[in-house]
Amino acid sequence: MTSQQNAQTMKPATAAKKLGVYLEATPAEFQEGVVSRTELAALQAEPPQWLQDLRNNGPHPRPVVAAKLGISISGLARGGVTEALTTEQIEALKAEMPEWLEKERATQADVRKESVRIKQMQAEKANKAEKPEKNEK
């Protein structure tokens, strides 16, 4: 019995997500085919011009837009942003700084602070749990 290795492939939507690009803005041949893990690795290692342009100028998918604005994806939805945005549109939003964006950035900052506080509390708790064990030895 011989084991035959098949190249693992993924749908274009999955590959676009892994590449951090908006699928609808990719070339037609990318959208219509399947992408192997080898092809994905090649695209990541040496991105073609179309991929470089998409990463630099957009349109960007919502997770990238949210990250560039410093807010959550839910914050984008609450702000009424449901479409992919270009880098230019993102920069315009930052410059304009509407009230919803200011509020969402503050919310995101609070969430990050709380995450740090919880991690520190868990680390302290783990340290306290280790100390009795050290004393027993």
Side-chain angles (χ1 to χ4, degrees), residues 33-135:
V34 293
V35 181
S36 71
R37 292 200 180 274
T38 307
E39 291 169 333
L40 179 68
L43 286 171
Q44 290 171 326
E46 293 183 32
Q49 190 61 47
W50 65 264
L51 182 53
Q52 291 175 29
D53 291 344
L54 278 178
R55 285 179 171 169
N56 291 332
N57 306 320
H60 302 287
R62 290 184 323 150
V64 174
V65 173
K68 286 180 179 270
L69 290 173
I71 62 175
S72 67
I73 296 172
S74 299
L76 273 180
R78 286 190 292 270
V81 179
T82 57
E83 299 296 317
L85 299 179
T86 63
T87 301
E88 188 177 302
Q89 291 169 316
I90 293 168
E91 293 305 319
L93 262 177
K94 284 181 182 178
E96 183 185 315
M97 194 57 77
E99 187 178 323
W100 69 266
L101 182 54
E102 258 183 69
K103 182 180 174 193
E104 290 301 333
R105 280 183 153 187
T107 299
Q108 190 69 11
D110 291 342
V111 167
R112 287 186 186 119
K113 285 179 193 172
E114 182 65 8
S115 293
V116 168
R117 186 189 70 78
I118 289 171
K119 283 182 183 176
Q120 287 174 339
M121 189 174 73
Q122 289 172 340
E124 289 171 11
K125 197 173 186 179
N127 280 341
K128 286 180 185 177
E130 279 182 15
K131 285 184 182 177
E133 290 176 14
K134 288 181 181 176
N135 292 337

